Amino acid sequence: MSQLNIARFFTYLICDNGYLSPKEIGNGNYACIMPLMFTHAIIKGRIGNLNSYEDRWCYSSLEKAQEALDAWDGVGEPEGWHRHPMTGRRREVTEEGLLEETINP
């Protein structure tokens, strides 16, 4: 896909969907921030796909989502999320400061 078409797609994400900070993350994929009612999420999808995204990670604030998006290169998962709806995983920091991951049945 040409850089012009990628720019048009990113403009669509921002103007028509209200997404924030779209960026290319390799292999024809993009990532950006999707505002939700009370939180924000990083979503990942195929550049040019106007119908859906492939994955989503939820964050408790825009600042945390933006920091994770800026640091993520598209390999593996972004850091710092608290909910992954596709798998039912949740991450919380315990009183001891450890990261605990649970999976909803």
Side-chain angles (χ1 to χ4, degrees):
M1 180 174 283
S2 73
Q3 288 300 312
L4 178 60
N5 285 335
I6 292 171
R8 286 180 177 147
F9 178 67
F10 284 179
T11 300
Y12 162 78
L13 293 176
I14 293 167
C15 296
D16 290 11
N17 293 296
Y19 296 164
L20 308 168
S21 305
K23 72 176 195 176
E24 291 183 69
I25 57 170
N27 297 321
N29 293 312
Y30 73 90
C32 63
I33 296 173
M34 178 175 68
L36 301 169
M37 186 173 287
F38 300 108
T39 62
H40 289 78
I42 292 178
I43 59 170
K44 171 187 170 186
R46 299 289 300 166
I47 293 175
N49 184 342
L50 304 177
N51 299 313
S52 65
Y53 54 85
E54 296 174 357
D55 215 339
R56 179 175 118 192
W57 298 268
C58 298
Y59 292 81
S60 60
S61 70
L62 173 58
E63 293 77 19
K64 288 181 180 181
Q66 187 66 62
E67 184 178 314
L69 180 62
D70 291 344
W72 190 39
D73 63 2
V75 176
E77 295 182 318
E79 294 293 323
W81 53 269
H82 68 91
R83 183 170 173 261
H84 186 251
M86 306 294 189
T87 61
R89 292 181 294 154
R90 292 181 176 272
R91 290 182 174 173
E92 295 182 33
V93 177
T94 65
E95 290 180 10
E96 295 81 24
L98 302 173
L99 186 64
E100 179 177 83
E101 186 172 300
T102 59
I103 300 174
N104 288 346

